Every structure is written in structure tokens, then in C-alpha cells.
Amino acid sequence: MKVLILFGSPNDQTVMKKAKDLLDQFGVHNESYAISAHRAPELLEEVLHKKEEEGVEIIIAGAGLAAHLPGVVASKTVLPVIGVPLNGALEGLDALLSIVQMPKEIPVATVGINNSFNAAMLAVEILSIKYPELKEKLKAYRETMKETIRKNNTLEVMYS
């Protein structure tokens, strides 16, 4: 199980770290790189090729503004790409629309603005199709989540 996390600028690391943290929690090997699709396209292609050879199965790509990184990555691989629109301008709406409006036949799954956590959760769900042990961890995570919600919604808590 390997996930590649990409983002266009070192400034995006704080937001994208939430994806890394969740993948680490589930025991999913991941690596992160700050590579601009515009400033270093050759390096991006080199890293993608190398990581595919090493067995990466899913790519999470975060980008702001015109948000080309997820689409460029999707055009260079047949692996699933999950785009994370980042708040670079226009409160991230520009990035969201850029990623979600990928042309026909080169899809990029898209999560909410700055929501790298959900990108990692989607990656875990996709990987759980192939890895039964990960599916069990995901089920346990969801059960813990439900129990926490139940505990926090007892009549004593709600009316105290």
C-alpha cells in the first residue's frame, strides 16, 4: 500500500500534512513531495515514473489558484488521482473549479477546499478494496467514530 502526496509549493505542506497524518494512522506507506507542475514539469514526470515503478497505487495532489497539478498528474498516469483544492486565492473556489472540471476521460476525484484529510480517507477506502487488513482498520475507525458520537449525544450531555 503506497500513496504519493504531491503539492505545488512548500507553503502547502501544512494543509497537506493532514493527509500524511491520517495515512500514517492507518499504516499506509506514503511519501510527500513539493513539485510545481509549471516550474519543474520534468522533475514531476521523473518522480511520477519512479514512484509508479516502486508500487505507488494512489496519488493525492493538492494545488491552489489555477490548480493544474492534479490534472497534469492525471494526464501522466492511469493511477487514481485525488485532487485537493487549496486556498490560494478566491477562498479556494478557483482551485476547486479547476480540479473538479477536468476534461472528459482524464478524471480527478476532488475533495473539499483544504480537505487533505478527506483525500487520505478516500485513498484508504480505495485501498481497502484490495487489502482486507486495511478494510478491517477502516471498519474499526468508523465504529469508534460512531461510539464517540453516541457518547457525546446522551441526554445527560445534551441537557447539561
Side-chain angles (χ1 to χ4, degrees):
M1 296 176 283
K2 293 184 182 180
V3 175
L4 177 61
I5 301 170
L6 299 171
F7 40 94
S9 165
N11 296 333
D12 304 327
Q13 187 171 2
T14 303
V15 172
M16 297 305 290
K17 186 175 182 319
K18 293 173 185 152
K20 178 188 180 11
D21 291 346
L22 182 73
L23 293 169
D24 288 346
Q25 181 181 338
F26 276 92
V28 175
H29 176 78
N30 61 88
E31 295 180 23
S32 300
Y33 295 87
I35 306 173
S36 169
H38 297 111
R39 295 180 207 99
E42 298 85 1
L43 178 59
L44 176 62
E45 200 159 344
E46 179 184 319
V47 168
L48 286 172
H49 180 71
K50 182 179 181 201
K51 295 304 164 187
E52 268 194 82
E53 285 180 349
E54 292 175 3
V56 161
E57 297 174 271
I58 297 176
I59 300 168
I60 296 172
L65 306 172
H68 288 123
L69 182 62
V72 169
V73 169
S75 76
K76 303 286 183 188
T77 184
V78 295
L79 296 175
V81 176
I82 304 168
V84 180
L86 301 175
N87 185 0
L90 304 177
E91 298 182 7
L93 187 57
D94 48 345
L96 173 65
L97 294 174
S98 293
I99 297 171
V100 81
Q101 292 293 343
M102 282 299 299
K104 184 178 179 183
E105 299 167 335
I106 307 293
V108 174
T110 310
V111 295
I113 297 167
N114 285 350
N115 201 341
S116 68
F117 182 94
N118 265 4
M121 188 59 73
L122 181 56
V124 168
E125 289 175 348
I126 293 168
L127 289 168
S128 77
I129 295 168
K130 182 177 178 182
Y131 298 101
E133 69 277 13
L134 191 56
K135 183 177 273 186
E136 292 308 311
K137 286 181 183 180
L138 184 57
K139 286 179 181 178
Y141 179 92
R142 293 267 181 101
E143 196 55 43
T144 299
M145 179 182 63
K146 288 177 197 173
E147 286 304 314
T148 301
I149 292 168
R150 280 187 192 104
K151 236 186 276 184
N152 292 334
N153 281 291
T154 64
L155 288 176
E156 295 81 31
V157 171
M158 291 174 66
Y159 294 105
S160 60

